[in-house]
Amino acid sequence: MSYDRIYNFSAGPSMLPVPVLEKAAAEMLNYGGSGMSVMEMSHRSKAYEEIITACKATMREVMDIPEEYDILLLQGGASSQFAMVPLNLMTTGAADYAVTGQFSKKAWKEAARYGDARLAASSEDRNNTYIPAQDALKLSDDASYLHICFNNTIYGTKWNYIPQTKAPLVADMSSCILSEPVDVRRFGLIYAGAQKNMAPAGLTVVIVRKDLLGHARDITPTMFNYQIHAEAESMYNTPPTYPIYICKLVLEWIRSLGGLAEMQKINRRKAKILYDYLDESKLFHNPVEPAARSMMNVTFVTGDADKDADFCKQAAAAGFVSVKGHRSVGGMRASIYNAMPVEGVEKLVEFMKKFELANR
Ligand SMILES: *Cc1c(COP(=O)(O)O)cnc(C)c1O
């Protein structure tokens, strides 16, 4: 069935898979014979308990999350994690931060309110167009953890390796979670705002190694204490019930396609279509060092701000929306998360080729 949907390249909130939306629509008025929608249900009801349990179990299965890790389904966005991480994990009073873009910088600044947040590396010298190499990371012996942003949504860069650290590794995966398999065991804590690749806005996922829980400092607000949420199985207060339900449908959709290995194949294919064209284009180019290119957020510029603005306007009129780059960096950005079909990327490239021909 066609719904006259357009291709939405928004960085987040972003596209959701059509089969997920169809299922949610079909179940909207009467979920599973309950006589109500999931939105209207008590989070303590049996029907809802099954949903949240299935969401966590499917996440564990799809992401291959070992038993030593807890899955917390929280609110507050990834931005709340900038404070929750140091409040719960900065037990030595110091932590290392790699700053490779705006979100990691915010995380670093927030952590400095709670202790000695040290700059392990920064890619600001070249406008965040690369990722520092392992031997460029200044890691301190007494750091409680190293914090990285695994995929930089605004600059379109991605860590193409997992840093080796003595301290636990903490990663903001908001814009790359579920895009490919990751070895969860290499991380102490992973967090993600769900509105990019998992669910609608309102849900924040934290995957944390159990031995890191229980060390929150005294001043930590109860709602910011991971252990409280872990002990209550994410039911300490009302969880974001509807986004959790959609997240469950998204995870089931991924599993039905063959899991994260298959997702990675499709995502690689989509990214390659765009980068291959950008590499041959005489008009557009991608400013990122090739080794650090993101598979989810593809940035490009013409080098002329007026032409960029013209492109965004024409693209929107042709049915490709939200291709404008982040307001802080300008240019263009195509966010091609899991729900973006290959066809959407192919059509965008066709459109870019036409624009190039007309603007030589
Ligand atoms: C979008 C984003 C954030 C901010 O997420 P909120 O849920 O809006 O707080 C943080 N980090 C990364 C990598 C993001 O892409």
Side-chain angles (χ1 to χ4, degrees):
M1 171 153 186
S2 150
Y3 301 96
D4 288 333
R5 283 172 60 85
I6 52 176
Y7 294 112
N8 173 9
F9 293 89
S10 167
S14 39
M15 286 182 81
L16 283 162
V18 170
V20 166
L21 296 174
E22 283 175 330
K23 181 124 204 253
E27 294 179 334
M28 177 63 82
L29 277 294
N30 186 348
Y31 176 82
S34 66
M36 60 179 100
S37 74
V38 174
M39 272 183 248
E40 299 164 294
M41 248 172 221
S42 161
H43 60 296
R44 309 274 177 204
S45 65
K46 188 164 179 302
Y48 192 73
E49 197 186 300
E50 282 172 19
I51 292 171
I52 190 166
T53 304
C55 178
K56 285 192 256 189
T58 314
M59 197 181 300
R60 206 175 273 289
E61 181 190 336
V62 166
M63 289 186 67
D64 191 19
I65 301 170
E67 276 308 315
E68 314 87 88
Y69 288 76
D70 265 322
I71 300 170
L72 311 180
L73 304 177
L74 311 176
Q75 307 200 33
S79 301
S80 290
Q81 296 308 312
F82 300 166
M84 280 177 87
V85 166
L87 280 167
N88 285 271
L89 264 48
M90 206 197 265
T91 49
T92 62
D96 292 329
Y97 277 76
V99 172
T100 54
Q102 267 189 36
F103 292 117
S104 48
K105 190 168 192 176
K106 280 186 174 170
W108 173 53
K109 291 208 157 153
E110 187 73 14
R113 306 179 65 211
Y114 303 108
D116 190 2
R118 297 173 185 153
L119 194 58
S122 164
S123 54
E124 274 187 315
D125 57 336
R126 281 188 273 138
N127 199 29
N128 298 316
T129 53
Y130 71 102
I131 294 295
Q134 172 79 47
D135 58 13
L137 301 176
K138 277 187 289 178
L139 304 178
S140 32
D141 281 336
D142 60 340
S144 302
Y145 57 86
L146 167 68
H147 179 283
I148 64 171
C149 179
F150 210 43
N151 182 79
N152 296 282
T153 325
I154 295 173
Y155 292 92
T157 60
K158 157 93 199 291
W159 288 70
N160 64 2
Y161 72 99
I162 299 175
Q164 297 281 354
T165 54
K166 201 179 79 183
L169 183 60
V170 173
D172 178 353
M173 292 201 188
S174 296
S175 50
C176 58
I177 196 160
L178 302 182
S179 64
E180 61 183 351
V182 283
D183 185 357
V184 174
R185 286 184 176 78
R186 299 282 302 275
F187 299 85
L189 186 147
I190 292 167
Y191 66 87
Q195 68 273 23
K196 276 122 194 186
N197 215 13
M198 305 186 98
L203 168 65
T204 310
V205 174
V206 174
I207 299 161
V208 57
R209 219 173 60 208
K210 289 174 181 168
D211 64 285
L212 297 175
L213 298 173
H215 311 291
R217 63 185 68 183
D218 289 345
I219 61 150
T220 305
T222 307
M223 277 296 289
F224 269 34
N225 189 321
Y226 291 136
Q227 196 186 19
I228 299 278
H229 291 290
E231 281 170 359
E233 298 185 358
S234 300
M235 286 278 198
Y236 173 73
N237 72 323
T238 317
T241 53
Y242 201 74
I244 289 170
Y245 157 70
I246 299 288
C247 187
K248 166 187 170 281
L249 297 183
V250 167
L251 289 160
E252 288 168 355
W253 172 75
I254 291 172
R255 185 173 58 190
S256 76
L257 292 179
L260 292 183
E262 194 55 36
M263 216 66 250
Q264 179 181 47
K265 273 190 213 154
I266 302 167
N267 286 328
R268 279 189 175 150
R269 202 168 130 214
K270 287 188 291 185
K272 188 174 184 315
I273 294 169
L274 256 168
Y275 286 121
D276 280 356
Y277 166 62
L278 290 169
D279 286 344
E280 71 182 38
S281 170
K282 303 263 185 300
L283 179 66
F284 300 106
H285 86 276
N286 166 249
V288 170
E289 193 174 274
R293 284 174 169 177
S294 166
M295 191 163 68
M296 295 281 99
N297 310 98
V298 180
T299 53
F300 50 100
V301 292
T302 63
D304 173 342
D306 289 339
K307 221 169 245 182
D308 287 354
D310 194 29
F311 175 80
C312 293
K313 210 172 121 197
Q314 290 192 35
F320 307 100
V321 302
S322 293
V323 292
K324 196 167 176 289
H326 190 268
R327 60 191 183 280
S328 62
V329 295
M332 279 74 74
R333 170 180 54 179
S335 295
I336 49 174
Y337 300 118
N338 290 350
M340 173 60 68
V342 175
E343 176 200 78
V345 178
E346 286 169 346
K347 290 201 168 148
L348 175 67
V349 167
E350 259 171 55
F351 177 79
M352 289 167 75
K353 286 181 177 167
K354 266 194 240 156
F355 185 89
E356 178 169 359
L357 266 177
N359 284 273
R360 273 208 290 226

